[in-house]
Amino acid sequence: MENTCYQQLTRTFQRLSRFSHLSAIAGWDMLTMMPPAGSAARGEALAELGVLQHQILTDKQVGQWLQGARSEDLNDLEQANLREMTRHYQQASLLPESLVEAKALAGSRCEHAWRTQHPANDWAGFSANLKEVVKLSREEAQLRAAAKGCSPYDALLDVFEPDMTSARLDTLFADLKSWLPDLLQRVADKQSRETLVDPVGPFPVATQRELGLEAMKMLGFDFNGGRLDISAHPFCGGVPEDVRITTRYDEKDLLSALFGVVHETGHARYEQNLPRQWSGQPVALARSTAIHESQSLFFEMQLGRSEAFLRRLLPSIVQRFGAQPAFEEANFIAWNQRVKPGYIRVEADEVSYPAHVILRYEIEQALINGEIEVEDIPALWNEKMQAWLGLSTEGDYRNGCMQDIHWTDGGFGYFPSYTLGAMYAAQLFHAARTALPGLESAIAQGDFSALFDWLRQNIWQHGSRFSTSQLIENATGEALNSRYFRQHLTARYL
Amino acid sequence: MENTCYQQLTRTFQRLSRFSHLSAIAGWDMLTMMPPAGSAARGEALAELGVLQHQILTDKQVGQWLQGARSEDLNDLEQANLREMTRHYQQASLLPESLVEAKALAGSRCEHAWRTQHPANDWAGFSANLKEVVKLSREEAQLRAAAKGCSPYDALLDVFEPDMTSARLDTLFADLKSWLPDLLQRVADKQSRETLVDPVGPFPVATQRELGLEAMKMLGFDFNGGRLDISAHPFCGGVPEDVRITTRYDEKDLLSALFGVVHETGHARYEQNLPRQWSGQPVALARSTAIHESQSLFFEMQLGRSEAFLRRLLPSIVQRFGAQPAFEEANFIAWNQRVKPGYIRVEADEVSYPAHVILRYEIEQALINGEIEVEDIPALWNEKMQAWLGLSTEGDYRNGCMQDIHWTDGGFGYFPSYTLGAMYAAQLFHAARTALPGLESAIAQGDFSALFDWLRQNIWQHGSRFSTSQLIENATGEALNSRYFRQHLTARYL
């Protein structure tokens, strides 16, 4: 067994990966299988493992090996792995264990209290807890910013989306803001002249589940290394060798569970096709949160809501649930492409979704950089919702800034990933379509093999080998821009 | 935070307990939920955690704290906890990590190969692997025996059943051997004159599952802190706060899954009622494998196969599956109390079961003590099966010494627990019946509260506070003996 610094590092990261495996499975179990009384003991067990992982990763010796490995003879791939190892080490080492622990506790308190404060529209109670979360997140951001030499918010952004900066986001989002509100208005006007028939339930859960499994199979999910289950909030979890997606069923609503499954299948196929030959090493992990989201949105929006795919799907729906007016082809397609601005982000269509994201981005950026305080959030929220979607959230915290638990755990810097993901997805789909003539008719016939091969070759198989920018430029021939997202929305909705 | 040696120990054992939690859940998941391709990564993750636990437990500092804590001022409970801590430490420290690892690898190889060797009746292939397992188990036994000053087999026995010795087992089993063969013969003669009607299926899995859940509810299983699932081999897993039992269904066989559930519910209620106030400490763990087995057999055999309980159960069966001749009360009871000697231990009734156990005990004892070799097993097996049950296993390894995977992982010393458990169960039931007048009519009416209170007070709530001998003497007023088991079998079957 060799004992170069690099070899020592690979063994350490493999060990960490094995502990992450246990954490991922115990975390999945907590949200899908665990009976209520198991909660406290599970939380303690996971926290104990988290502390151990932090200790192993931030051990001084890891720092020395990283230093030593730089002068060792490494090939390209090993260099990329060393770069990723260094990033993980630095991100973890910047934070004292006390701050990691305090943040976890404050986040858990804030999220727990939200469960009753949300239905009670209790902003006063909620903001008291949120202040503590913001205080600790600002501390974290300051520490990261000092080390990286950037603004506090940029330092958090970097954790989720390496190399992304506020300056670049501001440019990308300014572009979106220049045309999206107008597009949204025109789509709303156009669609207001169409009369659509809603699907009428009930749609039994067992049959919905069968349909979801059929869609997963159609989309190439590997059931030999994965599962479909139920959880309150859909997610994709597990490990690359054993990927687990979840959905939730509503017997009154057929398509929410189904497209949730299609979305998570996008995440899952990315995980299932990450490079196994480097398993356990950071370079084998998914590139970033936005690239991950690009895969789920590629499946859900670019592919899943396309006319070709909806045509392919419809016979299975009719076969399982019987014919009804909503399932006439033209109605079914139009119904799945309906744009309807509303208060709640997670229920938004793809045209109005960016409004929710940019609003949050602007508020969280100002908050972390210390330009506004927690008290200022509701007024700002209302102002931006009025400007974007013409909706008032004055006094309506429940449907405004308290609508989800995104900020309760201090996950600031994650939000932009949603819209970055949508832009990446559009740019990728455009590139795939250019490379693959006849793609649309293949999709309508249920043959996605060329499309998935393209994703495998251009995205999945690379893990974290390249930077996000390199990955996207290699795949699409140009840097991330909003042109293809705009083209896509215009073509589909106008 | 105090820093006495004892306090340091409790923190260390709590930490170990949290890692055991993760190991238990990941282990349960592996047998119930995991898709096949997850297997290798799971094995590595669990092995990594196992090495960590072994390192934490056998750290020299733990030894020093154990030494130091002896002269600290501890109350009775803390003394008991310290005794258990010392036992766990000593058991782990005796073995070099290399032996632990080699044994795990050899066991896994032997078990894996068994899966194809068993259907092929391939003794030559199997025995080659088993020799390696036996060699390593003998090494382990030698190391333990040298430290404890006893025979090699007694040293292994002690791991599963503290304070039990071959000398005591020989006496207990000699007693069984003096009357059980004759009893078995008389029961067989008696039952051969009765004509019974077999239940006729199919019994749909979903309805069997509902019936199992009803039985669990009837038997006081806490679903807020537990689950019922499916696995190839039924077991009780998880952690006291979150106990998970499994069964397997055969649509042709109603009662196998049901009584499997009743059996595991006995294990589960023990776990669910262990003393929570000492959670995470060794003193809060179940006393031993035989005491655990006594609880499952108490539920399955003493209570579950009693006339009173079968009468209580029958209406639920008829309600779910409809009436049929096999469900006439007298037939149903007799059918559930049928004695039928056979080759396979796990399918044995409670009268012939001890024959399987004593046979294995005698062989594994001689094997570990070096009196016989692996090659001698088939002939000895055949000889003892002929003597006990009149069945030949000559050349029939599949139904003989290769029938299960009990020896493949080197778990020598565990076997006696099954029959010790049956004897404990009979002795405990007798004591409970003596203490609780009207018990049988309460059972027939489905009121088990007094019985369960008695178990809680006498067994469950004590965890590992007392030695096994003390626990049983406190509960029943006398040391373990086979009198009550004999009375029970005679009363039920003759």
Side-chain angles (χ1 to χ4, degrees):
Chain A
M1 197 189 295
E2 278 192 80
N3 272 316
T4 65
C5 290
Y6 181 76
Q7 294 283 346
Q8 302 270 24
L9 286 169
T10 58
R11 284 198 284 277
T12 303
F13 277 89
Q14 182 167 65
R15 189 162 176 244
L16 281 168
S17 161
R18 288 172 178 164
F19 290 136
S20 295
H21 175 129
L22 297 173
S23 173
I25 296 301
W28 169 86
D29 180 273
M30 189 166 62
L31 298 172
T32 55
M33 298 291 162
M34 188 183 75
S39 180
R42 179 67 52 86
E44 285 164 14
L46 283 172
E48 191 71 58
L49 186 62
V51 168
L52 174 78
Q53 290 171 297
H54 190 259
Q55 282 167 350
I56 294 172
L57 179 56
T58 62
D59 192 292
K60 269 186 192 164
Q61 199 158 35
V62 173
Q64 286 158 10
W65 287 330
L66 287 170
Q67 197 75 18
R70 283 193 221 167
S71 50
E72 286 173 1
D73 185 30
L74 304 179
N75 65 28
D76 279 2
L77 178 67
E78 291 165 339
Q79 293 282 4
N81 198 26
L82 183 62
R83 181 196 67 217
E84 292 302 307
M85 289 168 164
T86 307
R87 194 166 68 84
H88 288 282
Y89 170 75
Q90 285 173 346
Q91 281 181 356
S93 303
L94 283 169
L95 305 186
E97 212 166 288
S98 58
L99 179 58
V100 174
E101 208 179 335
K103 231 193 122 188
L105 288 172
S108 146
R109 202 181 309 122
C110 189
E111 187 274 326
H112 196 84
W114 174 87
R115 297 180 202 184
T116 47
Q117 289 159 345
H118 172 251
N121 199 35
D122 174 14
W123 168 251
F126 180 71
S127 62
N129 288 329
L130 186 61
K131 274 178 207 168
E132 180 66 16
V133 172
V134 169
K135 178 179 154 281
L136 296 165
S137 293
R138 282 175 173 171
E139 273 181 44
E140 176 187 348
Q142 297 284 355
L143 287 168
R144 294 195 186 283
K148 207 179 149 67
C150 63
S151 77
Y153 184 75
D154 278 36
L156 295 187
L157 200 53
D158 186 63
V159 175
F160 299 104
E161 199 57 20
D163 308 327
M164 185 53 67
T165 62
S166 302
R168 220 177 136 208
L169 270 183
D170 288 342
T171 307
L172 287 164
F173 287 174
D175 178 69
L176 285 184
K177 287 168 87 166
S178 74
W179 53 265
L180 195 54
D182 177 59
L183 177 70
L184 184 58
Q185 188 57 52
R186 286 164 63 204
V187 173
D189 288 349
K190 175 170 178 268
Q191 293 197 351
S192 69
R193 290 188 296 273
E194 298 167 358
T195 311
L196 293 182
V197 186
D198 293 338
V200 178
F203 304 101
V205 167
T207 320
Q208 285 199 51
R209 182 178 149 80
E210 282 165 25
L211 180 65
L213 291 170
E214 185 185 334
M216 288 166 74
K217 203 174 158 194
M218 202 186 287
L219 293 169
F221 184 94
D222 174 12
F223 285 96
N224 196 43
R227 301 177 45 94
L228 168 68
D229 295 279
I230 295 175
S231 67
H233 301 277
F235 70 99
C236 173
V239 294
E241 298 87 353
D242 175 4
V243 176
R244 301 176 176 201
I245 71 170
T246 68
T247 191
R248 57 184 167 200
Y249 299 100
D250 176 350
E251 300 218 322
K252 281 178 280 184
D253 180 359
L254 169 62
L255 296 161
S256 152
L258 178 63
F259 279 94
V261 165
V262 171
H263 180 97
E264 302 305 335
T265 300
H267 284 303
R269 292 221 62 197
Y270 188 13
E271 289 290 317
Q272 288 187 327
N273 287 280
L274 285 168
R276 289 294 162 81
Q277 68 272 35
W278 316 323
S279 266
Q281 299 304 312
V283 74
L285 297 174
R287 177 59 275 182
S288 71
T289 50
I291 296 296
H292 231 307
E293 197 66 22
S294 81
Q295 297 309 293
S296 54
L297 290 176
F298 192 101
F299 274 61
E300 182 191 357
M301 297 301 185
Q302 297 293 325
L303 173 61
R305 304 263 183 187
S306 70
E307 283 195 27
F309 184 82
L310 291 170
R311 275 207 192 91
R312 171 67 188 77
L313 193 65
L314 191 51
S316 298
I317 291 179
V318 173
Q319 192 197 332
R320 289 182 193 279
F321 297 102
Q324 57 169 275
F327 297 158
E328 297 294 328
E329 192 172 274
N331 187 82
F332 181 71
I333 292 169
W335 201 90
N336 273 290
Q337 297 182 343
R338 206 167 46 169
V339 170
K340 213 175 177 181
Y343 291 103
I344 306 300
R345 173 182 60 88
V346 295
E347 293 169 6
D349 58 83
E350 60 176 333
V351 185
S352 52
Y353 202 112
H356 295 270
V357 170
I358 296 175
L359 170 158
R360 294 272 189 122
Y361 162 65
E362 292 173 349
I363 295 176
E364 71 176 22
Q365 184 186 27
L367 192 63
I368 292 298
N369 287 339
E371 294 152 18
I372 62 165
E373 294 302 326
V374 168
E375 289 81 359
D376 303 322
I377 294 175
L380 260 177
W381 190 289
N382 181 45
E383 186 189 313
K384 288 170 191 287
M385 277 301 270
Q386 295 270 14
W388 269 100
L389 304 176
L391 297 169
S392 166
T393 58
E394 208 180 327
D396 184 8
Y397 310 106
R398 189 164 37 176
N399 290 309
C401 57
M402 281 176 69
Q403 67 179 253
D404 62 31
I405 55 165
H406 231 282
W407 281 339
T408 60
D409 70 347
F412 300 103
Y414 179 84
F415 243 104
S417 301
Y418 291 116
T419 288
L420 288 173
M423 288 193 278
Y424 282 129
Q427 191 165 328
L428 289 169
F429 200 80
H430 174 82
R433 202 166 39 196
T434 308
L436 305 168
L439 178 60
E440 235 107 84
S441 66
I443 292 173
Q445 283 159 42
D447 176 8
F448 314 122
S449 55
L451 186 61
F452 295 151
D453 280 347
W454 190 90
L455 283 175
R456 188 182 294 109
Q457 280 164 34
N458 286 280
I459 303 291
W460 300 341
Q461 68 167 340
H462 299 303
S464 289
R465 180 166 194 170
F466 304 116
S467 73
T468 317
S469 306
Q470 268 180 290
L471 184 74
I472 289 303
E473 281 178 40
N474 291 348
T476 69
E478 57 189 310
L480 175 65
N481 64 73
S482 69
R483 190 178 326 136
Y484 303 101
F485 187 48
R486 184 179 188 174
Q487 278 179 11
H488 161 70
L489 295 182
T490 306
R492 179 170 290 175
Y493 296 98
L494 276 185
Chain B
M1 198 189 294
E2 276 191 81
N3 273 317
T4 64
C5 290
Y6 181 76
Q7 295 282 348
Q8 303 269 25
L9 286 168
T10 57
R11 283 197 284 278
T12 303
F13 277 90
Q14 182 168 64
R15 190 162 174 244
L16 282 168
S17 160
R18 288 173 179 163
F19 290 136
S20 296
H21 175 128
L22 296 173
S23 174
I25 296 300
W28 169 86
D29 180 273
M30 191 166 61
L31 298 172
T32 55
M33 299 289 160
M34 190 182 73
S39 179
R42 180 66 52 87
E44 286 165 13
L46 283 172
E48 191 70 59
L49 186 63
V51 167
L52 174 78
Q53 289 171 297
H54 190 260
Q55 283 167 349
I56 295 172
L57 178 56
T58 61
D59 191 291
K60 268 186 191 161
Q61 197 159 34
V62 172
Q64 286 158 10
W65 286 331
L66 287 169
Q67 197 73 17
R70 284 192 220 166
S71 50
E72 286 173 1
D73 185 29
L74 303 178
N75 64 27
D76 280 3
L77 178 66
E78 293 164 337
Q79 295 280 5
N81 198 26
L82 183 62
R83 180 196 68 218
E84 292 302 307
M85 287 169 167
T86 307
R87 193 165 68 84
H88 288 281
Y89 171 76
Q90 286 173 343
Q91 281 181 355
S93 303
L94 283 169
L95 304 186
E97 212 166 289
S98 58
L99 179 57
V100 173
E101 210 179 333
K103 229 191 124 191
L105 288 174
S108 148
R109 201 181 311 122
C110 189
E111 187 273 326
H112 196 85
W114 175 86
R115 297 181 201 183
T116 46
Q117 289 161 345
H118 172 250
N121 199 36
D122 174 13
W123 168 250
F126 181 72
S127 62
N129 289 326
L130 186 62
K131 273 179 206 167
E132 180 65 17
V133 172
V134 169
K135 178 181 155 278
L136 295 166
S137 294
R138 281 175 174 173
E139 274 181 43
E140 175 186 347
Q142 297 284 356
L143 287 169
R144 294 194 185 286
K148 208 178 148 69
C150 63
S151 77
Y153 185 74
D154 278 38
L156 295 187
L157 200 54
D158 185 63
V159 174
F160 299 103
E161 200 57 21
D163 308 328
M164 184 53 68
T165 61
S166 303
R168 220 177 137 209
L169 270 183
D170 287 342
T171 309
L172 286 164
F173 288 173
D175 178 69
L176 286 183
K177 287 169 85 165
S178 74
W179 54 264
L180 196 53
D182 177 59
L183 176 69
L184 185 58
Q185 190 55 55
R186 286 164 63 206
V187 173
D189 289 348
K190 175 171 179 268
Q191 294 198 350
S192 69
R193 293 188 295 274
E194 298 167 359
T195 312
L196 291 183
V197 186
D198 292 338
V200 178
F203 304 101
V205 167
T207 320
Q208 284 199 53
R209 182 177 148 80
E210 283 165 25
L211 180 66
L213 290 170
E214 185 185 334
M216 287 166 75
K217 203 176 158 191
M218 202 187 285
L219 294 169
F221 185 93
D222 175 11
F223 285 95
N224 195 44
R227 301 176 47 94
L228 168 66
D229 295 278
I230 295 175
S231 67
H233 300 278
F235 70 98
C236 174
V239 294
E241 298 86 351
D242 176 3
V243 176
R244 302 176 176 200
I245 70 171
T246 68
T247 191
R248 58 183 165 201
Y249 300 100
D250 176 351
E251 298 218 323
K252 282 179 280 190
D253 180 358
L254 171 62
L255 296 160
S256 153
L258 179 63
F259 279 94
V261 165
V262 171
H263 180 97
E264 301 305 336
T265 300
H267 284 304
R269 291 219 63 196
Y270 188 13
E271 289 289 318
Q272 290 187 325
N273 287 280
L274 285 168
R276 290 292 163 85
Q277 67 274 31
W278 316 322
S279 265
Q281 299 304 313
V283 73
L285 297 174
R287 178 59 276 181
S288 71
T289 51
I291 295 296
H292 231 308
E293 197 65 22
S294 81
Q295 298 308 294
S296 53
L297 291 175
F298 192 101
F299 274 61
E300 182 190 356
M301 297 300 185
Q302 297 294 324
L303 174 60
R305 305 265 182 184
S306 71
E307 284 196 27
F309 183 82
L310 292 170
R311 275 206 192 94
R312 172 67 188 78
L313 193 65
L314 191 51
S316 299
I317 292 178
V318 172
Q319 193 198 331
R320 290 182 193 278
F321 298 100
Q324 56 171 276
F327 297 158
E328 297 292 329
E329 192 172 274
N331 187 81
F332 181 71
I333 293 169
W335 201 90
N336 274 290
Q337 297 182 343
R338 205 166 47 167
V339 170
K340 214 175 178 182
Y343 291 102
I344 307 299
R345 172 183 60 88
V346 296
E347 292 167 7
D349 59 82
E350 62 177 329
V351 185
S352 53
Y353 202 113
H356 296 270
V357 170
I358 295 173
L359 169 158
R360 294 273 189 121
Y361 161 67
E362 291 172 350
I363 296 177
E364 70 175 23
Q365 185 187 24
L367 192 63
I368 292 297
N369 287 338
E371 294 151 19
I372 63 165
E373 294 303 327
V374 168
E375 288 81 358
D376 303 321
I377 294 176
L380 260 176
W381 189 289
N382 182 44
E383 184 190 315
K384 289 172 189 284
M385 276 302 271
Q386 295 269 16
W388 268 99
L389 303 176
L391 298 170
S392 164
T393 59
E394 206 178 331
D396 182 8
Y397 310 105
R398 189 163 37 175
N399 290 310
C401 57
M402 280 177 70
Q403 66 179 254
D404 62 32
I405 56 166
H406 232 282
W407 280 339
T408 61
D409 70 347
F412 300 103
Y414 179 86
F415 243 103
S417 300
Y418 292 116
T419 288
L420 289 172
M423 288 193 278
Y424 282 131
Q427 192 165 326
L428 288 168
F429 200 81
H430 178 265
R433 202 165 42 197
T434 309
L436 305 169
L439 178 62
E440 236 106 82
S441 65
I443 291 173
Q445 285 159 41
D447 176 10
F448 313 121
S449 54
L451 186 61
F452 294 151
D453 280 346
W454 189 91
L455 282 175
R456 189 182 294 109
Q457 279 163 34
N458 287 281
I459 303 291
W460 301 340
Q461 68 167 341
H462 298 303
S464 288
R465 181 167 194 167
F466 306 116
S467 73
T468 317
S469 306
Q470 268 180 290
L471 185 74
I472 289 303
E473 281 179 41
N474 292 348
T476 69
E478 58 188 309
L480 174 66
N481 63 75
S482 68
R483 190 179 323 135
Y484 303 101
F485 186 50
R486 182 178 189 173
Q487 278 180 12
H488 160 70
L489 295 182
T490 308
R492 177 171 291 176
Y493 296 96
L494 278 185

